[in-house]
């Protein structure tokens, strides 16, 4: 029987641990068993139980006692490379249960997903252990409300997709922290028209070469529909379920499982200005 995994990635502060905590609670409501593995050796606190914690293997504070690894990023990369060389520890911690569904809460250093082989090695080993893996790339919606910042977020997500070569769902987190005006403004970034964004940026780019590069990037993304985002609001059970459905579909979760009646929700989901776009995505 297959096993299932979400590789929860994204820049520092994008809400990875909050996402994992929310998903664990939501799946509990659906009577689904979901476990979390912490892969961030610099983590200090998370409010969910973990089935495995990389800090039991190696901690970034211990590594940084070495003068050559005193910088935080250097110490963290060393920890992840150490994990890649000791994946037997992870295999033993995971055990082997059919229909495992595990969220891997990953570090926030973007270089781990772009040009270092560590995360790809992890993905390949998980696949050898019969996991169907989906990348879940998070970006903070508060960072994405301007077009030039949005393009940067798209490029980060695209780099991860190219590097890992696994199904990937891109998510805008912390939608519940946006004002009503910001929520309305961000609708255009969920299913973006990259050519319109090029026009928005045209007046702010002084270098003609940089303008051409931006046009090429936006054209590539738009022509091939390579990056789209789903909104994630921790207070919206319906929206959370829609995100989970997208991820489940990408890894073919539940094809052979018996249906279980979900528990009733106590409250109606919060009002959402972006509901129509979100619903259209679910029907696509």
């Amino acid at each position: 029987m297959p096993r299932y995994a979400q590789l929860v990635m994204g820049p520092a502060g994008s809400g990875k641990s909050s996402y994992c905590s929310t998903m664990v609670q939501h799946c509990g409501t659906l009577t689904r068993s979901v476990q979390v593995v912490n892969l961030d050796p610099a983590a200090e606190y998370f409010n969910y139980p973990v089935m495995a914690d990389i800090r039991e293997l190696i901690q970034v504070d211990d590594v940084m006692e070495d003068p050559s690894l005193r910088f935080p990023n250097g110490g963290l990369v060393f920890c992840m490379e150490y994990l890649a060389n000791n994946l037997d520890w992870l295999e033993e911690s995971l055990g082997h249960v059919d229909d495992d569904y595990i969220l891997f809460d990953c570090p926030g250093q973007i270089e781990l997903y772009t040009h270092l082989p560590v995360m790809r090695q992890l993905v390949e080993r998980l696949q050898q252990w019969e996991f169907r893996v989906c990348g879940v790339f998070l970006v903070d919606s508060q960072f994405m409300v301007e077009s030039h910042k949005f393009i940067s977020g798209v490029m980060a997500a695209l780099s991860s997709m190219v590097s890992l070569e696994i199904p990937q769902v891109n998510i805008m987190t912390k939608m519940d922290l946006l004002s009503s005006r910001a929520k309305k403004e961000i609708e255009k970034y969920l299913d973006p028209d990259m050519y319109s964004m090029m026009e928005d940026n045209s007046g702010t780019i002084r270098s003609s070469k940089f303008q051409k590069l931006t046009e090429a990037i936006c054209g590539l993304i738009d022509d091939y529909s390579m990056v789209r985002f789903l909104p994630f609001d921790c207070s919206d059970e319906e929206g959370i379920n829609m995100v989970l459905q997208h991820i489940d579909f990408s890894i073919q979760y539940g094809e052979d499982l018996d249906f279980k009646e979900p528990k009733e929700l106590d409250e109606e989901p919060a009002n959402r200005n972006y509901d129509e776009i979100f619903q259209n995505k679910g029907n696509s």
Side-chain angles (χ1 to χ4, degrees), residues 10-12 16 38-44 54-55 57-66 68-84 105-113 116 118-119:
K16 294 183 292 296
N38 174 48
L39 291 184
D40 185 356
E44 296 180 356
I54 190 177
R55 296 176 303 174
L57 177 69
I58 189 168
Q59 295 191 36
V60 72
D61 289 341
D62 296 335
V63 172
M64 288 176 62
E65 293 179 2
D66 186 327
S68 64
L69 297 169
R70 191 167 294 166
F71 297 103
N73 276 17
L76 190 141
V77 169
F78 178 89
C79 289
M80 298 308 294
E81 291 176 340
Y82 186 83
L83 170 66
D105 189 355
C106 299
Q109 275 60 30
I110 198 66
E111 60 265 35
L112 294 171
Y113 315 104
L116 294 177
V118 176
M119 300 307 292

Side-chain angles (χ1 to χ4, degrees), residues 234-265:
C234 290
S235 63
D236 177 9
E237 292 287 344
E238 182 182 349
I240 295 167
N241 195 53
M242 185 68 72
V243 169
L244 185 60
Q245 287 177 12
H246 274 77
I247 296 169
D248 287 347
F249 179 79
S250 71
I251 53 179
Q252 299 177 308
Y253 172 80
E255 290 185 343
D256 301 319
L257 299 180
D258 294 331
F259 175 77
K260 293 182 180 180
E261 190 70 30
K263 298 177 183 178
E264 292 186 3
L265 302 178

